């Protein structure tokens, strides 16, 4: 630093050759400015735990001379993901100090702001870690003073107050958070497409957001329009559209949905409102999100979009139709539920309850072989009309007639008897190429696909974990033949990477043992035994009918296996089991992995709900942490329950009014690119509930889970409708607490919460609100959301499925 000059000393500027002992104008101005600085003390650890923000301040001081003195404020403590503000003094202003903050030790963070006030987001840490920052001030005379402050960062904790139960028609989030409604049913995805009237008059859903938005994923875009996995300000939102609130799509509801004839224009609207949408999202600054109507990336993929089949079943006689006489091509995807993401940045959309869309006339049974009838029955292709009766449209166009699976031609190449076999697959989509043709990956099997979580570890086989969402169905795993090379994640030939890893391998089904162990049973031709009802012809036959193969192998039937999610740190796999009824899970039909049979009385009338109406979440860890392992360990992470009604044999996780839930559906771990997904990642749990809706609408919870084996063995007593009891041994995880499980969001009336992702920085979370007001009518909607979110709804405003963007008001990482 520059020393204070002695009297009559020499320098330049205003004291150049000035032989006087009077103080200079420069030094007096600096001293006056220093004296008038405000003192702000840093918040203590208790304050920050409540507010989620650390405030550190430096104050000016002086010694009566023309020197610069600074303070960097008190040391402080915070936790990962929270915003820390550093404020130093003196500041720039009259008198002219140059100030600066710099980090001098600890995990590197990005400082934003300039001069005396900067901020940063506390990084993810595994243990308490000190970050040291230096504040400096330089006077106009070149004098420099510095001071340091230390911020101690602890591992991430949930940092919001639990949202209480709600039956209101709005999305409820914690204090300190804001909700922005994003793309909604009917929003236009191309220039020139009119705004959605929302009165049943709108058409052209090939260029509009579809209905029943389900699983979603945000793919980052660079400013130049290329793939950028780190971008948190521009991206592509890929969302599934599972089904319809058909009553709201037409002016007065649909016409002739039982017997036909259906007006073709109505049927086309309903068909096109299914599928997948791709829309560009942009942040105008400070997480002010909107979508771009005329983006060149925007796209709708519908049940009419051309697709190709890949993998062992491609070209099979079981896939031959009048559209694809060689069984290698098809049209469209439908009932798209959960999803998966590949390391090479493609989207896996999963076809769930597709079987009910098809019609089979009564005369068809006599034309089928016993094997065919067994397969059709096992998958539920038994309707005489099909959902929405599209095959009865007053048109001969095959986009309608393909929904009739009745044998009417001389061969499979002359009708659509095999069209049901073209659905029930995992479909890979390149979101960055709007002209690319989606590929159905047959190696992953055909069933009621809920999701497809991809676990990719460099040097291991790639694994895909998939639930089959029906009562008493199975958990599956696909293991690639190719060993995963992390460098392939950067490939620009994205669908070719899918060819490499998703077209060859082994499909397995899970068997859960009573002792907390499990096996993966291979669904391989030659190792799957024949049954009296069905003998497999080849591997393609097994992949078209894996439910029958799993039955034959003795896999464990589960309570509606839905989403799969993987902990990015431990590699453990979580499987939501939404619920089961008394027929599917009777008193004497429980097992260790599905251990409960009980009653959850509903409403003021105490309507009985026997079986497992609240569901649970199973987690497993592969032996050796290897995706190709043939054995695993498992426990039950959480049990859903109504905390007010359930006793100790039902509320096994110790839930309270702040974290009780029912029917877990969506499951998602925060991204490993931010503090919420590091070291001990946040797990998000979404519900699709009918059992607890007398107390609260569906919800989203945030959890910080433990590990497989953190609980222990437990024997419970189940009670049936007659009062009879039965005991069941199981393996439970550690109890839930306020610290590791809290309700983050409650949705509007009659909705399902489904679809979730965050930006890479974790500062925005996107959540899907599906079918609000699903039980209403066109003249009397039972919800007015999303209009009701801002209080602008009228008595006849029709509800719309939509995505919401949720941000923390202080800019921190969501949930922390």
């Amino acid at each position: 630093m520059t020393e204070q000059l002695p009297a009559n000393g020499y320098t330049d500027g205003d004291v150049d050759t000035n032989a006087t002992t009077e103080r200079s104008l420069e030094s007096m101005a600096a001293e006056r400015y220093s004296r008038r600085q405000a003192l702000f003390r840093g918040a203590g650890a208790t304050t920050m735990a409540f507010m989620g923000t650390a405030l550190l301040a430096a104050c000016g001081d002086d010694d009566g001379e023309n020197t610069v003195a600074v303070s960097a404020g008190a040391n402080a403590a915070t936790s990962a993901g929270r915003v820390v503000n550093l404020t130093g003094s003196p500041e720039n202003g009259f008198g002219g100090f140059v100030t600066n903050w710099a980090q001098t030790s600890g995990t590197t963070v990005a400082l934003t702001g300039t001069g005396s006030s900067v901020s940063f987001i506390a990084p993810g840490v595994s243990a308490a870690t000190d970050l040291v920052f230096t504040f400096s001030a330089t006077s106009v005379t070149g004098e420099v003073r510095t001071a340091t402050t230390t911020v101690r960062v602890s591992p991430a904790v949930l940092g919001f107050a639990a949202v209480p139960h709600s039956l209101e028609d709005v999305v409820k989030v914690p204090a300190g958070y804001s909700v922005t409604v994003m793309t909604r049913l009917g929003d236009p995805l191309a220039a020139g497409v009119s705004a959605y009237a929302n009165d049943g008059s709108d058409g052209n859903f090939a260029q509009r957001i579809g209905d029943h938005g389900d699983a979603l994923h945000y793919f980052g875009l660079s400013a130049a329009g290329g793939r950028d996995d780190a971008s948190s300000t521009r991206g592509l939102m890929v969302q599934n559209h599972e089904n319809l609130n058909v009553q709201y799509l037409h002016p007065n509801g649909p016409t002739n949905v039982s017997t036909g004839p259906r007006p073709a224009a109505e049927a086309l609207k309903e068909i096109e409102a299914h599928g997948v949408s791709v829309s560009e999202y942009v942040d105008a600054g400070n997480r002010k999100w909107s979508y771009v109507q005329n983006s060149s990336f925007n796209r709708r993929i519908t049940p009419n979009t051309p697709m190709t089949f890949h993998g062992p079943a491609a070209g099979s006689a079981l896939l031959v139709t009048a559209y694809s006489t060689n069984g290698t091509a098809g049209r469209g995807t439908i009932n798209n539920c959960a999803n998966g993401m590949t390391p090479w940045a493609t989207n896996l959309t999963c076809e769930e309850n597709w079987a009910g869309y098809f019609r089979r006339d009564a005369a068809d049974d006599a034309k089928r072989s016993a094997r065919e009838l067994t397969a059709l029955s096992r998958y539920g292709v038994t309707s005489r009309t099909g959902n929405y009766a599209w095959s009865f449209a007053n048109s001969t166009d095959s986009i309608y007639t393909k929904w009739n699976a009745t044998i009417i031609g001389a061969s499979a190449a002359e009708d659509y008897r095999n069209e049901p076999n073209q659905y029930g697959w995992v479909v890979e989509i390149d979101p960055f190429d709007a002209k690319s043709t989606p590929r159905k990956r047959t190696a992953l099997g055909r069933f009621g696909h809920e999701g497809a979580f991809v676990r990719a570890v460099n040097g291991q086989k790639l694994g895909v974990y998939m639930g089959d969402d029906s009562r008493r169905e199975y958990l599956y795993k696909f293991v690639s033949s190719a060993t995963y090379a992390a460098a392939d994640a950067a490939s620009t030939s994205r669908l070719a990477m899918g060819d490499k890893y998703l077209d060859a391998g082994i499909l397995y089904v899970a068997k859960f043992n009573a002792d907390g162990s499990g096996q993966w049973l291979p669904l391989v031709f030659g190792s799957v035994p024949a049954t009296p009802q069905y003998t497999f012809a080849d591997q393609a036959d097994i992949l078209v009918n894996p439910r029958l193969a799993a039955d034959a192998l003795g896999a464990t039937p589960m309570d509606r296996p839905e989403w799969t999610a993987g902990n990015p740190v431990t590699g453990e796999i979580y499987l939501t089991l939404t619920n089961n009824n008394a027929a599917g899970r009777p008193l004497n039909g429980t097992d260790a992995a599905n251990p409960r049979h009980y009653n959850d009385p509903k409403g003021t009338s105490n309507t009985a709900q026997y079986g497992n109406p609240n569901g649970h979440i199973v987690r497993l860890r592969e032996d050796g942490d290897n995706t190709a392992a043939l054995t695993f360990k498992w426990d039950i992470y959480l049990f859903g329950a109504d905390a007010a009604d359930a006793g100790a044999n039902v509320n096994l996780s110790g839930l309270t009014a702040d974290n009780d839930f029912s029917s877990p559906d969506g499951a998602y771990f925060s991204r490993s690119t931010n503090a919420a997904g590091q070291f001990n990642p946040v797990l998000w749990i979404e519900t699709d509930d009918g059992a607890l809706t007398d107390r609260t609408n569906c919800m989203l919870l945030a959890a910080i889970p433990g590990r497989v084996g953190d609980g222990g063995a437990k024997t419970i007593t189940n009670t049936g409708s007659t009062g009879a009891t039965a005991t069941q041994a199981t393996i439970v995880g550690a109890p839930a607490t306020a610290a590791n499980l809290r309700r983050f969001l409650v949705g509007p009336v009659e909705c399902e919460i489904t679809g979730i992702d965050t930006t890479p920085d974790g500062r925005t979370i996107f959540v899907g609100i599906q079918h609000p007001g699903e039980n209403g009518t066109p003249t009397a909607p039972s919800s007015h959301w999303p209009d009701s979110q801002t209080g602008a709804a009228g008595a006849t405003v029709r509800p719309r499925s939509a995505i919401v963007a949720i941000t923390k008001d202080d800019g921190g990482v969501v949930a922390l």
Side-chain angles (χ1 to χ4, degrees):
M1 65 182 179
T2 304
E3 297 294 334
Q4 183 176 346
L5 293 173
N8 300 321
Y10 177 85
T11 184
D12 55 8
D14 73 326
V15 292
D16 186 28
T17 66
N18 182 3
T20 177
T21 59
E22 296 294 320
R23 298 172 63 191
S24 72
L25 176 64
E26 296 283 6
S27 64
M28 288 188 289
E31 177 182 342
R32 180 179 180 185
Y33 189 75
S34 175
R35 288 180 184 276
R36 61 192 295 265
Q37 301 308 302
L39 173 63
F40 301 101
R41 288 299 178 194
T46 301
T47 302
M48 287 182 291
F50 177 74
M51 299 297 292
T53 302
L55 300 171
L56 299 180
C59 63
D61 194 6
D62 64 270
D63 57 5
E65 303 296 339
N66 64 333
T67 61
V68 181
V70 296
S71 169
N75 294 339
T78 189
S79 57
R82 298 186 181 181
V83 175
V84 179
N85 296 311
L86 305 175
T87 302
S89 180
E91 298 176 346
N92 282 328
F94 178 75
F97 291 100
V98 177
T99 58
N100 184 61
W101 281 97
Q103 184 177 2
T104 50
S105 70
T107 304
T108 302
V109 298
L111 296 177
T112 59
T114 57
S116 59
S117 296
V118 297
S119 64
F120 66 92
I121 294 179
V125 294
S126 60
T129 301
D130 287 344
L131 312 183
V132 180
F133 300 88
T134 298
F135 176 71
S136 63
T138 304
S139 74
V140 293
T141 62
E143 183 182 23
V144 179
R145 290 288 190 273
T146 63
T148 63
T149 192
T150 299
V151 180
R152 175 158 292 178
V153 180
S154 295
V157 295
L158 298 179
F160 61 91
V163 175
H165 294 159
S166 171
L167 293 171
E168 295 183 41
D169 197 26
V170 295
V171 172
K172 295 269 194 174
V173 294
Y177 285 82
S178 296
V179 176
T180 300
V181 177
M182 299 297 294
T183 41
R184 304 159 294 176
L185 163 69
D187 278 347
L189 288 176
V193 180
S194 62
Y196 193 58
N198 196 26
D199 59 5
S201 65
D202 303 280
N204 187 22
F205 273 85
Q207 292 183 305
R208 295 184 184 277
I209 294 291
D211 203 356
H212 277 217
D214 207 289
L216 55 84
H217 189 73
Y218 171 93
F219 291 88
L221 271 177
S222 68
R227 171 187 170 187
D228 181 358
D229 294 345
S231 174
S232 293
T233 57
R234 183 188 183 198
L236 299 178
M237 182 58 65
V238 181
Q239 184 182 34
N240 290 340
H241 299 290
E242 182 181 11
N243 209 330
L244 309 172
N245 272 7
V246 69
Q247 72 271 36
Y248 299 129
L249 285 182
H250 309 294
N252 300 297
T255 306
N256 299 335
V257 291
S258 297
T259 59
R262 294 293 318 281
E266 281 191 8
L268 179 62
K269 182 188 299 189
E270 295 162 12
I271 292 169
E272 290 180 339
H274 285 77
V276 179
S277 64
V278 181
S279 54
E280 182 179 340
Y281 279 26
V282 293
D283 171 14
N286 294 319
R287 293 156 299 285
K288 302 298 183 184
W289 289 96
S290 63
Y291 91 101
V292 182
Q293 175 179 339
N294 62 348
S295 170
S296 61
F297 291 100
N298 290 353
R299 183 183 188 187
R300 278 304 319 282
I301 297 166
T302 77
N304 297 329
T305 301
M307 303 195 172
T308 57
F309 284 89
H310 290 250
S316 166
L318 294 171
L319 297 180
V320 168
T321 68
Y323 178 82
S324 179
T325 57
N326 64 3
T328 61
R331 280 174 299 177
T333 185
I334 201 164
N335 208 265
N336 302 83
C337 202
N339 61 356
M341 284 65 63
T342 67
W344 48 93
T346 58
N347 186 80
L348 302 179
T349 184
C350 299
E351 299 173 337
E352 189 195 18
N353 291 316
W354 48 269
Y357 291 87
F358 292 96
R359 155 192 167 196
R360 283 181 56 240
D361 296 342
D364 188 59
D365 285 358
K367 301 175 183 179
R368 299 280 188 171
S369 68
R371 290 178 73 258
E372 287 179 296
L373 291 174
T374 295
L376 290 166
S377 176
R378 184 66 179 83
Y379 280 84
V381 186
T382 57
S383 174
R384 299 307 185 201
T385 59
N387 298 349
Y388 312 115
W390 293 334
S391 67
F392 290 102
N394 55 4
S395 171
T396 59
D397 193 306
S398 62
I399 65 172
Y400 309 107
T401 61
K402 75 173 186 175
W403 302 104
N404 182 4
T406 303
I407 294 176
I408 57 177
S411 70
E414 298 178 37
D415 58 27
Y416 290 96
R417 69 185 72 177
N418 286 335
E419 189 71 12
N421 294 341
Q422 293 224 341
Y423 291 89
W425 304 101
V426 173
V427 186
E428 187 175 17
I429 299 168
D430 184 348
F432 299 97
D433 184 358
K435 296 181 179 179
S436 60
T437 300
R439 301 180 182 182
K440 296 200 173 189
R441 300 296 184 185
T442 66
L444 277 60
R446 169 181 164 268
F447 41 88
H449 278 282
E450 176 71 24
F453 173 74
V454 178
R455 183 169 185 247
V457 178
N458 189 49
Q460 291 188 19
K461 307 294 186 181
L462 183 138
V464 185
Y465 297 82
M466 302 166 286
D468 184 352
D469 183 13
S470 286
R471 293 185 173 109
R472 298 191 63 80
E473 291 300 342
Y474 306 114
L475 170 66
Y476 296 86
K477 175 179 75 168
F478 169 79
V479 177
S480 66
S481 295
T483 298
Y484 178 65
D488 284 344
S491 174
T492 57
S493 300
R494 287 176 285 272
L495 292 176
M497 289 296 100
D499 294 345
K500 177 178 178 179
Y501 291 109
L502 301 178
D503 282 349
I506 298 175
L507 182 66
Y508 297 88
V509 67
K511 181 177 181 179
F512 292 81
N513 299 322
D515 63 356
S517 66
Q519 289 91 38
W520 292 109
L521 310 176
L523 277 63
V524 175
F525 182 65
S527 66
V528 177
T531 68
Q533 296 78 29
Y534 204 89
T535 301
F536 292 96
D538 52 25
Q539 185 63 26
D541 193 357
I542 287 177
L543 294 174
V544 170
N545 296 294
R547 283 182 177 176
L548 290 168
D551 293 344
L553 288 170
T556 303
M558 307 293 283
D559 288 350
R560 279 189 64 194
E562 296 224 31
W563 287 46
T564 48
N567 186 317
V569 173
T570 68
E572 293 175 349
I573 304 299
Y574 287 65
L575 169 67
T576 56
L577 298 162
T578 295
N579 52 48
N580 211 334
N581 56 23
R585 191 59 63 189
L587 177 63
N588 294 307
T590 60
D591 57 48
N594 305 273
R596 293 186 301 172
H597 174 99
Y598 57 97
N599 180 32
D600 178 14
K602 182 177 180 180
T604 56
S605 62
N606 287 326
T607 302
Q609 302 177 105
Y610 278 92
N612 180 20
N614 303 128
H616 56 288
I617 302 174
V618 167
R619 61 186 171 188
L620 62 90
R621 186 161 191 164
E622 300 278 20
D623 286 345
D625 292 328
N626 195 311
T627 55
L630 298 180
T631 54
F632 57 87
K633 299 294 187 297
W634 68 269
D635 66 8
I636 298 179
Y637 162 56
L638 281 177
F639 293 85
D642 180 347
D645 283 346
N649 285 296
V650 176
N651 190 4
L652 298 171
S653 296
L655 305 180
T656 70
D658 285 338
N659 59 20
D660 62 350
F661 67 94
S662 177
S663 299
D665 188 342
Y668 166 85
F669 276 95
S670 289
R671 295 187 183 218
S672 60
T673 49
N674 64 77
Q678 298 164 355
F679 300 106
N680 202 1
V682 173
L683 170 66
W684 298 90
I685 302 166
E686 300 175 310
T687 68
D688 178 15
D689 182 38
L692 192 60
T693 48
D694 53 336
R695 296 194 189 278
T696 182
N697 299 334
C698 284
M699 65 185 69
L700 171 68
L701 302 101
I704 298 182
R707 303 289 188 269
V708 171
D710 61 12
K714 188 176 184 66
T715 298
I716 61 177
T717 300
N718 292 314
T719 303
S721 59
T722 66
T725 62
T727 60
Q728 176 64 61
T730 186
I731 314 292
V732 303
T737 68
N740 63 32
L741 181 67
R742 297 179 194 174
R743 188 178 302 108
F744 178 82
L745 173 154
V746 180
V749 172
E750 295 171 5
C751 79
E752 170 187 348
I753 306 299
T754 185
I756 182 169
D757 194 14
T758 72
T759 49
D761 62 10
R763 300 168 77 185
T764 300
I765 188 169
F766 301 103
V767 179
I769 310 298
Q770 186 185 117
H771 62 63
E774 65 174 337
N775 296 324
T777 67
T779 56
S782 49
S783 167
H784 304 296
W785 194 86
D787 291 61
S788 58
Q789 189 69 31
T790 56
T796 59
V797 173
R798 301 181 182 199
R800 301 161 72 179
S801 295
I803 294 173
V804 293
I806 302 168
T807 54
K808 200 172 182 181
D809 295 344
D810 68 4
V813 175
V814 174
L816 303 184

